[in-house]
Amino acid sequence: MRRIVPLARVGAASVAALGTLVAATGWLYLLRPPGSAGRAGVGGALPLDELAHRSAVPIGLFVTVWAAAAALLGLIARAARAERLTAAGLLALAVGLWGYLATGTAILLIRQIPAHVAFRDAAELRAVYLPAALAGLAGAVFGRPRTGSHRRSPLVLPALVAASGLLGMLDAVLPERPHTLLSAITPERVHPLASALVAPLGLALVFVARALARRKRRAWQLATGLLVSLTALHFLHGFDEGALAGALVAVALVARRQDYDRAGDPTAQPRLLTRALLLASAIYGYGVVALWANRVAADQPYTLRFALAETSRALVGLDLHGSTHLDPAFGSWFPLSVLLAGAAAAFAILIPWLAPWRYRHAQEERERELAHALVAAWGVDTLAPFVLRADKSYFFAEDERAFLAYKVVGGVAVVSGDPVGPAEVFPELVGRFVAFARERDWRIAILGASERWLPLYAAQGLHALYHGDEAVLETAGFSLEGRAIRKVRQSVHRLQLAGYRAEILHPRAIAADLRAQLAAVADEWRNGEPQRGFTMALDALFRLEDEDALFVIGRAPDGTAAGFLHFAVCRAGSALSLSSMPRLRGTPNGFNEWLVCETVQWARAHGFERISLNFAPFAALLAPEAELSGLQRVERRALRSLKGHFQLDNLLLFNRKFFPGWQRRFVVYERRRDLPRVGIAALAAEAYLPLQRGKRA
């Protein structure tokens, strides 16, 4: 019984569809206006009247009747529970086959010619293809949406759209050969109106295809509009294979419209409307001025109406080969210049319209207080205090028990470390953030992710790439005894004998004059370079006040501050996290090693179990004793070539002096093709590239 019901449904739908096809042809016979013979219309629509030269039907009537029939067929397909794309394909195929067979048979009977000639002539009639295109569109509109998620389906149609665009661009470049296969299958090749616009339209489709792959609703609207418009123009100038290809892609886009559900930036429309008005004013202003300056080259008196009309014709490409009202010397380049200006203006509007949402950095007082409280209560990771930088935005869980810190650089949402809060909230928080970023068309990059939470990120479809190791000292087990650590021990003794002494203070205990000294030391150490760091450094010396930070100050024999270590206090994790270690250029060798040892003594006495030192990028690749593959050896040589810029191996050598534990850190990302963009955004966020340099609070 379960099988009989679907079969009965399909059978009833097939009978109803056949009746609709027969009825549509009958309505054309009944509604054909008297005396329409010889008028322009759709030839071959009534092939049985061919001998009376009455086979043509006015285009308006033809489209109206077949649009109504197509809508009815679409409803029949919906009643049969056909999925949109399936309904579109079946209806287009069925109606096209019906029209082809019926028309070919009629031509065969009426003309009394060989069958292969009759059916060849039928295949060239617009009356065969247009009903099929309308039926396919109706199936795409009225069919039932596909249930479930299909990750590959949103990528197939962008590839087809891009292919049609590339074919159009190639056809525009190659010499004119109107009967080649290339010119036949190119959807954009419409004469004469769009012959000048083939390459720009093709480029636009290629650009839109990229946004389609990101499932943008605006890109879907634009691609569908372009393809439907071009198909309509093809129909007016002769329906061919190019029109059929464009129609099929447009129908498929309509059928899969639910795949492209990511809205554009709502704040972009007012800005782009203003930009469009300004660009249009500039183009028409240019046309008016250029025509006035060359008014002697025109064959009629100069008027504003004449100037606007000539500029408009040039803007849509009607006068690409020269205006009939202008002297050839001037008329040969003026229309082209206007057309190029119009194409440039269109792309100046199109690009930001399809661009990712604008990022607006915001940190409200309430958000800062809530983030500070969550870090104090739940920030067990040594990177947690660094989320309190002023250049980060916060994304909270719905119940505000956990949050992520991030900022957007070049369309990449760069997240600082792992979430902060109770672990049971993390899956919901990360899932919501991934949806939040994808809705805005931001790529995702989590910097400094710990190994513990990689399964959580993998569950959201994200991937991890090893980034480096964080050096962590256990204060209870650290000792200066033994031969292995003798160099550090010698540095400590040398600084002590030279009269250097350490002073360890929380920010609340640092007076204004000492603050000024510390700021001067930091400025001299940077030597005009920006304050680096995003994931593992604070953006200002006194970003954290009270007892949330720690300064380990090394005083020279004369009592002045010669350098210091700046730590963020991670009380929930019983740890100190090194933020920076600036010093004056003339300090003795081993100065920072001595301060680290002083910090260990203080931390041990005050109940801190761990001290996080510098993060060593790619430590596993740079370690001398590491066993590496051939590719990894190449990577190590490439990394060492960056020594002067990033001090990668210097940081590793400094950390290794203290025999720390190593905590692996990762970069988490969405897709491999995003990695170059993610890498640039990460470097910019860390201030190694100039894209994000700005004032620090």
Side-chain angles (χ1 to χ4, degrees):
M1 186 66 180
R2 292 181 179 178
R3 294 182 178 181
I4 295 177
V5 172
L7 290 175
R9 187 186 301 117
V10 172
S14 301
V15 172
L18 181 61
T20 302
L21 293 176
V22 174
T25 305
W27 278 108
L28 287 177
Y29 279 98
L30 291 174
L31 297 177
R32 178 182 55 188
S36 61
R39 295 182 183 178
V42 181
L46 303 175
L48 292 176
D49 285 358
E50 189 175 63
L51 287 179
H53 301 289
R54 301 184 62 188
S55 65
V57 172
I59 186 172
L61 174 62
F62 187 85
V63 171
T64 300
V65 169
W66 275 109
L72 184 57
L73 289 172
L75 293 174
I76 292 172
R78 184 177 182 87
R81 300 182 180 179
E83 185 268 333
R84 287 173 181 167
L85 192 57
T86 303
L90 289 177
L91 288 181
L93 180 62
V95 174
L97 187 60
W98 164 266
Y100 173 67
L101 293 176
T103 304
T105 302
I107 293 175
L108 176 66
L109 295 176
I110 299 299
R111 296 184 188 177
Q112 294 295 307
I113 58 178
H116 72 277
V117 177
F119 283 99
R120 182 197 62 194
D121 292 345
E124 296 177 354
L125 294 175
R126 291 182 292 179
V128 173
Y129 292 106
L130 182 58
L134 292 173
L137 183 61
V141 171
F142 294 107
R144 295 180 180 272
R146 182 188 292 272
T147 58
S149 175
H150 298 267
R151 295 183 60 186
R152 293 186 179 273
S153 58
L155 299 178
V156 175
L157 288 177
L160 294 177
V161 172
S164 66
L166 289 172
L167 286 172
M169 295 170 63
L170 186 60
D171 189 28
V173 172
L174 294 179
E176 179 69 21
R177 292 186 177 90
H179 300 296
T180 62
L181 175 63
L182 179 63
S183 62
I185 65 176
T186 300
E188 299 87 348
R189 198 65 175 178
V190 183
H191 297 282
L193 177 62
S195 60
L197 301 177
V198 174
L201 288 175
L203 183 60
L205 283 175
V206 172
F207 182 82
V208 170
R210 180 176 177 273
L212 272 177
R214 298 291 294 177
R215 302 177 58 176
K216 292 187 177 182
R217 188 70 176 178
R218 289 177 178 176
W220 175 87
Q221 294 168 346
L222 187 58
T224 305
L226 281 173
L227 288 170
V228 169
S229 300
L230 291 169
T231 302
L233 287 173
H234 263 295
F235 176 76
L236 294 175
H237 291 277
F239 205 90
D240 56 13
E241 293 88 343
L244 180 61
L248 289 176
V249 177
V251 167
L253 282 173
V254 174
R256 298 300 300 171
R257 59 189 178 273
Q258 74 274 7
D259 292 335
Y260 305 98
D261 54 359
R262 295 178 183 172
D265 188 349
T267 65
Q269 294 184 3
R271 290 186 286 107
L272 295 182
L273 179 60
T274 302
R275 178 180 294 187
L277 292 174
L278 291 175
L279 290 172
S281 301
I283 292 173
Y284 276 97
Y286 161 74
V288 168
V289 172
L291 288 168
W292 179 84
N294 295 272
R295 58 190 180 278
V296 295
D299 64 356
Q300 57 184 273
Y302 175 85
T303 62
L304 181 61
R305 180 178 181 181
F306 168 73
L308 294 178
E310 284 294 304
T311 304
S312 297
R313 288 178 60 84
L315 189 59
V316 297
L318 293 178
D319 292 337
L320 183 62
H321 299 295
S323 171
T324 58
H325 299 293
L326 300 176
D327 179 83
F330 172 64
S332 62
W333 64 263
F334 172 74
L336 179 60
S337 66
V338 173
L339 178 63
L340 291 177
F347 277 96
I349 297 170
L350 176 65
I351 291 173
W353 193 58
L354 296 178
W357 287 33
R358 269 190 173 185
Y359 168 65
R360 291 163 181 82
H361 172 257
Q363 246 190 42
E364 298 179 359
E365 183 64 29
R366 177 183 172 277
E367 289 182 338
R368 287 196 296 270
E369 293 177 355
L370 180 56
H372 188 278
L374 289 172
V375 168
W378 297 97
V380 296
D381 190 78
T382 51
L383 271 57
F386 301 126
V387 303
L388 300 176
R389 291 168 56 110
D391 59 351
K392 299 178 181 179
S393 298
Y394 299 134
F395 184 87
F396 289 92
E398 285 190 304
D399 58 7
E400 296 188 335
R401 290 197 297 149
F403 75 100
L404 285 169
Y406 73 98
K407 75 174 178 180
V408 179
V409 182
V412 179
V414 183
V415 179
S416 177
D418 297 317
V420 177
E424 65 268 18
V425 186
F426 288 1
E428 177 264 337
L429 171 64
V430 175
R432 286 183 61 242
F433 181 79
V434 169
F436 171 80
R438 287 176 177 170
E439 180 185 6
R440 287 154 178 76
D441 196 27
W442 296 338
R443 276 70 168 175
I444 298 173
I446 304 175
L447 303 185
S450 62
E451 199 165 10
R452 175 187 178 187
W453 296 113
L454 293 186
L456 168 64
Y457 302 133
Q460 296 296 331
L462 304 178
H463 307 280
L465 178 69
Y466 166 72
H467 185 202
D469 292 82
E470 178 188 6
V472 180
L473 287 179
E474 299 291 337
T475 58
F478 180 78
S479 172
L480 289 176
E481 300 297 328
R483 179 177 175 80
I485 203 172
R486 68 185 186 281
K487 291 184 178 180
V488 175
R489 183 170 63 247
Q490 291 169 358
S491 297
V492 171
H493 292 161
R494 184 168 58 252
L495 268 293
Q496 291 174 344
L497 291 175
Y500 283 82
R501 61 184 180 86
E503 185 177 15
I504 302 179
L505 300 171
H506 288 294
R508 59 180 173 77
I510 300 177
D513 58 341
L514 182 53
R515 290 190 177 215
Q517 288 186 49
L518 298 180
V521 171
D523 290 342
E524 180 181 334
W525 176 253
R526 287 200 305 270
N527 194 27
E529 292 293 319
Q531 177 71 45
R532 304 199 190 280
F534 175 74
T535 310
M536 303 178 185
L538 294 169
D539 56 336
L541 283 180
F542 296 96
R543 171 66 56 207
L544 301 180
E545 291 284 355
D546 299 326
E547 295 189 358
D548 293 327
L550 190 73
F551 287 84
V552 182
I553 306 167
R555 292 190 177 274
D558 61 0
T560 60
F564 60 91
L565 304 183
H566 182 206
F567 290 92
V569 176
C570 180
R571 295 195 179 278
S574 187
L576 301 175
S577 292
L578 181 63
S579 174
S580 60
M581 46 182 187
R583 57 188 174 87
L584 298 178
R585 303 293 176 180
T587 54
N589 292 335
F591 181 84
N592 285 333
E593 290 86 338
W594 164 61
L595 288 182
V596 169
C597 294
E598 294 289 338
T599 305
V600 171
Q601 293 183 26
W602 184 94
R604 187 186 294 141
H606 289 79
F608 288 93
E609 299 175 358
R610 297 178 298 154
I611 297 177
S612 171
L613 299 178
N614 298 292
F615 171 70
F618 309 106
L621 295 177
L622 294 171
E625 71 278 6
E627 295 183 3
L628 305 178
S629 64
L631 177 60
Q632 289 173 330
R633 285 194 294 271
V634 172
E635 292 174 345
R636 176 157 67 179
R637 285 196 295 270
L639 290 170
R640 285 182 172 174
S641 69
L642 300 175
K643 175 180 178 180
H645 299 283
F646 300 100
Q647 299 183 355
L648 299 178
D649 53 351
N650 290 346
L651 291 175
L652 176 61
L653 292 174
F654 177 84
N655 293 337
R656 288 169 62 86
K657 293 179 181 180
F658 302 96
F659 299 95
W662 298 98
Q663 181 173 342
R664 291 165 63 86
R665 296 286 180 176
F666 296 82
V667 175
V668 175
Y669 60 96
E670 286 187 87
R671 300 176 180 89
R672 288 185 178 87
R673 64 176 178 268
D674 294 338
L675 280 175
R677 190 170 181 178
V678 165
I680 293 173
L683 290 173
E686 299 283 355
Y688 285 107
L689 292 178
L691 303 180
Q692 290 293 309
R693 291 185 183 180
K695 294 182 179 180
R696 299 290 183 179

